[in-house]
């Protein structure tokens, strides 16, 4: 790219300095640090008492999280959300006992969802000799939580309605729970919204269930006889009927991915646990494994407590991995299904992607996506304390630069997103202000990618500030360094020609077509030369328009065997302007 800029007819001292600065910036070293960051550093709720069992949802682009908070006397259900500035967690109605039905009884295992844009939370509350599944929602004025329909499970003495899960179908809330650890029961809110009505008979099951709405129908997982089974509401709406047979062997999480039910299960295998994912087959007769194997980072460690979610149309799974099988050192990990659909790609690998110290443990992850950005809430236990943390994936901005003519500019940023097609925007503006461009995305399955934004209609001879930022559709999720560029004075002659190849290197295999992507500032004819040791082996011609273009060599013509080559792009306009660029090409064996 530097060669292109040096050969460009923009020969002023300012343009030359800008070109040198751009080339140097794009070769800068990558910054240190992991890609999972807390949007607000520290715990969601600052208390000495333990914060447990997070459940996360998204409402109008805002992450909400519910949890059980020990206050020294009993456990209170609480809910917080990220504030409008994205700099703090604010409790959604605070106070001593904002949600519990009784302020002196324990509230445990919350399940949070959005119904019609309103947060609903289900939980299990200890009442004397029994546990009752209860539901509350945020009142219309946002100042209180109001009980919904009384107890979702019947208040029967010595009954234990545990681990509830809530979803909605057609705007109607459905709740499931484990009844006495040996059955899975269901209720839905009646038409008047005044009481809960049972939906069919309870199904055999153990002490854990997970509920989700798939294509408008509630689905639920249950564990019975050493296997995970899935049931869904029948067409008459009168009962939950099993579907597809066994979907795993361990604690499971269910989600809708592209309108299809997917289940992540911590399967029990000899000497360990493996997280695996299955989807309901097209004929709905079986659960088919997705991704070709276990998600475990290490085959020697236990993987537990999966949480599955659809993010950008792709299944993502968060889980905890137990080191050395002693349950004293547990790390948090996240993977996504690769573009081929045949393997799982860990979103930031390495020994400890979330930076959980070895004397700390991670538990109970809850995963959601906002605008293609993964967010995960999790329980963080360390000596003397248990609190709640939330992380999200943020890009690493490795290098950047900008080039400008009198009315246009190209802003470029080399970004590491660990294979996630991350939404990026460029903020820019004159006089120090920073507006925003449209969203562009990095390429899926590339660890690093160069994102480019073209600006047009700029005033000449003006200084602009700019920076690339991650963006979830509602807020900045990490920012690159702030830079500047200056548009040239209004030209007294024709627009200058500039071409630039992106990325700065290309690799391919013998016999495969090689595509060179580049930008041009004018309509022009181009020639692509394949060179080796200075000798031109092949030549391809074409035409380019203003902006993004591509030209290809067929990979076979004048091929001289695997090795290192140079691709040289030459451009010439009808009025005689010329420009060019070059990029190294490495050809591997087939």
């Amino acid at each position: 790219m530097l060669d292109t800029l040096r050969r460009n007819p923009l020969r002023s001292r300012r343009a030359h300095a800008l070109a040198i600065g751009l080339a140097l910036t794009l070769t800068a070293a990558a910054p240190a640090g992991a890609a999972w960051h807390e949007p607000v550093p520290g715990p969601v709720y600052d208390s000495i008492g333990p914060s447990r069992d997070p459940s996360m949802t998204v409402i109008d682009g805002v992450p909400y999280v519910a949890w059980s908070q020990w206050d020294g006397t009993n456990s209170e259900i609480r809910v917080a959300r990220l504030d409008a500035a994205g700099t703090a967690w604010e409790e959604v109605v605070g106070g001593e006992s904002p949600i519990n039905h009784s302020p002196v009884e324990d509230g445990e295992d919350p399940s949070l969802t959005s119904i019609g844009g309103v947060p609903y939370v289900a939980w299990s509350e200890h009442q004397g000799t029994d546990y009752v599944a209860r539901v509350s929602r945020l009142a219309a004025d946002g100042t209180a939580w109001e009980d919904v329909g009384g107890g979702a499970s019947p208040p029967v003495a010595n009954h234990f309605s545990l681990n509830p899960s809530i979803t909605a179908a057609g705007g109607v809330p459905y709740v499931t729970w484990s009844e006495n650890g040996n059955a899975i029961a269901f209720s839905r809110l009646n038409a008047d919204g005044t009481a809960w009505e049972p939906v069919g008979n309870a199904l055999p099951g153990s002490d854990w269930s997970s509920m989700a709405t798939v294509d408008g129908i509630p689905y639920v997982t249950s564990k019975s006889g050493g296997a995970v089974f899935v049931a869904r509401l029948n067409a008459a709406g009168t009962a939950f009927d099993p579907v597809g047979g066994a979907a795993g062997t361990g604690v499971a999480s269910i989600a809708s991915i592209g309108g299809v039910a997917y289940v992540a299960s911590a399967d029990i295998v000899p000497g360990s646990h493996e997280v695996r994912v299955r989807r309901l087959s097209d004929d709905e007769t079986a659960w088919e494994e997705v991704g070709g194997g276990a998600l475990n980072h290490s085959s020697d460690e236990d993987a537990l407590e999966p949480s599955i979610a659809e993010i950008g149309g792709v299944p993502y799974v968060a889980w905890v991995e137990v080191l050395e099988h002693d349950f004293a050192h547990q790390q948090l990990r996240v993977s996504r299904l690769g573009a081929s659909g045949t393997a799982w790609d860990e979103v930031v690998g390495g020994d400890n992607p979330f930076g959980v110290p070895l004397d700390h443990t991670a538990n109970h992850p809850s995963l959601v996506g906002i605008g293609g950005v993964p967010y995960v809430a999790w329980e963080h236990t360390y000596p003397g304390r248990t609190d709640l943390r939330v992380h999200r994936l943020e890009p690493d901005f490795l290098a950047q630069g900008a080039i400008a003519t009198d009315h246009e500019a190209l802003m470029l940023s080399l970004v590491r997103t660990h294979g996630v097609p991350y939404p990026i925007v460029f903020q820019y503006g004159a006089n120090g202000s920073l507006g925003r461009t449209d969203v562009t995305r990095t390429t899926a399955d590339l660890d690093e990618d160069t994102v480019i934004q073209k600006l047009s209609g700029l005033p000449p001879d003006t200084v602009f500030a700019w920076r690339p930022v991650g963006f979830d559709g509602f807020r900045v999720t990490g920012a690159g360094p702030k830079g500047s560029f200056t548009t040239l004075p209004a030209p007294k002659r024709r627009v200058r020609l500039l071409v630039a190849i992106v990325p700065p290197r290309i690799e391919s295999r013998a016999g495969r077509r090689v595509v060179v992507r580049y930008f041009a500032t004018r309509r022009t004819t181009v020639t692509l030369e394949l060179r080796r040791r200075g000798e031109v082996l092949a030549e391809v011609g074409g035409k380019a328009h203003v902006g993004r273009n591509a030209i290809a060599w067929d990979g076979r013509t004048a091929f001289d065997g695997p090795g290192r080559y140079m691709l040289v792009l030459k451009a010439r306009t009808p009025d005689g302007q010329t420009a060019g660029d070059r990029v190294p090409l490495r050809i591997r064996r087939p």
Side-chain angles (χ1 to χ4, degrees):
M1 184 174 287
L2 181 58
D3 289 342
T4 297
L5 296 170
R6 285 174 172 166
R7 293 195 299 273
N8 192 288
L10 298 175
R11 297 296 186 182
S12 72
R13 179 179 300 176
R14 181 171 55 195
H16 183 70
L18 184 61
I20 297 295
L22 171 60
L24 291 176
T25 301
L26 288 177
T27 57
W36 289 103
H37 296 275
E38 295 176 280
V40 181
V44 170
Y45 187 81
D46 193 9
S47 172
I48 296 176
S51 305
R52 298 191 183 280
D53 303 320
S55 176
M56 207 172 193
T57 194
V58 181
I59 301 175
D60 295 331
V62 177
Y64 283 65
V65 61
W67 72 98
S68 175
Q69 180 68 50
W70 178 255
D71 64 6
T73 303
N74 66 296
S75 295
E76 298 288 342
I77 302 299
R78 296 186 179 275
V79 174
R81 65 188 167 207
L82 195 60
D83 69 4
T87 57
W89 291 99
E90 59 183 16
E91 194 170 357
V92 183
V93 186
E96 294 184 358
S97 184
I99 298 177
N100 284 31
H101 179 71
S102 169
V104 296
E105 302 290 2
D106 287 320
E108 301 174 359
D109 299 314
S111 174
L112 184 66
T113 193
S114 170
I115 302 177
V118 177
Y120 280 64
V121 60
W123 73 97
S124 178
E125 186 161 327
H126 182 246
Q127 294 186 187
T129 60
D130 60 292
Y131 281 83
V132 175
R134 292 197 169 274
V135 178
S136 281
R137 67 184 166 214
L138 187 63
D141 62 4
T143 62
W145 289 87
E146 56 188 23
D147 180 81
V148 179
S153 63
V156 179
N158 298 314
H159 272 231
F160 296 87
S161 301
L162 303 173
N163 300 312
S165 183
I166 186 170
T167 190
V172 177
Y174 285 75
V175 175
T176 184
W177 64 91
S178 169
E179 189 71 13
N180 292 331
N182 56 28
I184 302 298
F186 317 93
S187 285
R188 67 178 159 225
L189 194 62
N190 65 13
D192 297 331
T194 57
W196 294 88
E197 56 188 23
V199 184
N201 295 323
L203 298 177
S206 61
D207 59 352
W208 196 266
S209 61
S210 171
M211 205 174 199
T213 299
V214 182
D215 198 22
I217 301 171
Y219 282 62
V220 65
T221 66
S222 63
K223 188 171 180 290
S224 177
V228 173
F229 293 93
V230 178
R232 67 183 176 195
L233 187 67
N234 63 20
T238 57
F240 279 79
D241 296 334
V243 59
T249 62
V251 171
S253 171
I254 189 169
S256 174
I257 313 291
V260 177
Y262 279 64
V263 172
S265 173
D267 285 358
I268 303 169
V269 297
S272 185
H273 289 76
E274 295 179 344
V275 170
R276 293 179 179 269
V277 176
R278 298 170 178 87
R279 70 186 294 275
L280 188 60
S281 63
D282 292 341
D283 62 7
E284 300 187 343
T285 61
W287 292 91
E288 304 171 335
E289 189 161 355
V290 177
L295 278 66
N296 298 39
H297 177 74
S298 171
S299 59
D300 296 329
E301 309 292 1
D302 287 292
L304 302 169
E305 299 178 345
S307 174
I308 187 169
E310 180 180 38
I311 302 176
V314 176
Y316 283 65
V317 180
W319 75 95
V320 295
E321 194 143 323
V322 183
L323 306 185
E324 301 175 3
H325 302 283
D326 66 359
F327 294 92
H329 308 301
Q330 297 179 189
Q331 294 180 348
L332 181 62
R333 295 193 176 273
V334 176
S335 280
R336 64 186 291 270
L337 188 63
S340 67
T342 60
W344 291 92
D345 299 330
E346 195 166 347
V347 181
V348 187
D351 292 336
N352 194 356
F354 285 79
V356 181
L358 285 179
D359 60 343
H360 296 203
T361 62
N363 286 290
H364 307 305
S366 180
L367 179 68
V368 299
I370 303 177
V373 176
Y375 283 69
V376 58
W378 54 287
E379 183 183 299
H380 174 219
T381 298
Y382 52 105
R385 188 168 180 179
T386 297
D387 59 34
L388 185 68
R389 301 295 177 112
V390 174
H391 279 68
R392 70 183 171 205
L393 185 70
E394 296 183 4
D396 291 330
F397 294 93
L398 307 180
Q400 63 190 57
I403 50 178
T405 63
D406 53 332
H407 291 292
E408 296 182 333
L410 290 178
M411 301 178 292
L412 303 89
S413 180
L414 180 61
V415 186
R416 178 187 294 131
T417 62
H418 302 274
V420 173
Y422 205 95
I424 302 291
V425 301
F426 289 85
Q427 296 177 325
Y428 74 100
N431 304 315
S433 63
L434 289 175
R436 194 169 69 220
T437 67
D438 293 334
V439 173
T440 184
R441 290 182 182 271
T442 58
T443 301
D445 295 328
L446 286 183
D447 187 66
E448 298 176 7
D449 192 20
T450 301
V451 288
I452 301 157
Q453 180 70 56
K454 179 183 177 183
L455 304 176
S456 301
L458 303 177
D461 202 17
T462 303
V463 177
F464 285 84
W466 74 282
R467 66 175 184 174
V469 301
F471 189 63
D472 66 8
F474 299 88
R475 63 193 62 81
V476 168
T477 59
K482 191 174 181 180
S484 65
F485 63 85
T486 304
T487 52
L488 297 177
K492 297 180 180 179
R493 53 189 183 275
R494 61 191 182 275
V495 176
R496 300 298 182 181
L497 173 64
L498 170 68
V499 293
I501 296 174
V502 177
R505 68 184 68 86
I506 298 176
E507 291 190 3
S508 186
R509 293 190 181 275
R512 291 188 180 179
R513 186 169 178 261
V514 177
V515 178
V516 178
R517 304 186 187 282
Y518 65 98
F519 285 80
T521 58
R522 289 192 60 184
R523 291 181 179 273
T524 182
T525 58
V526 295
T527 301
L528 179 67
E529 295 178 350
L530 175 70
R531 295 184 180 183
R532 193 172 196 183
R533 302 182 185 92
E535 179 183 359
V536 178
L537 304 179
E539 183 175 293
V540 181
K543 294 184 178 182
H545 55 76
V546 177
R548 189 187 296 264
N549 296 272
I551 190 171
W553 168 58
D554 63 12
R556 296 182 298 275
T557 303
F559 180 60
D560 196 29
R564 299 183 183 275
Y565 295 76
M566 185 68 68
L567 290 169
V568 179
L569 184 68
K570 296 180 178 181
R572 184 180 183 87
T573 63
D575 56 6
Q577 287 193 52
T578 60
D581 200 2
R582 62 183 62 202
V583 62
L585 169 65
R586 183 178 180 182
I587 300 293
R588 298 181 181 274
R589 297 184 182 278

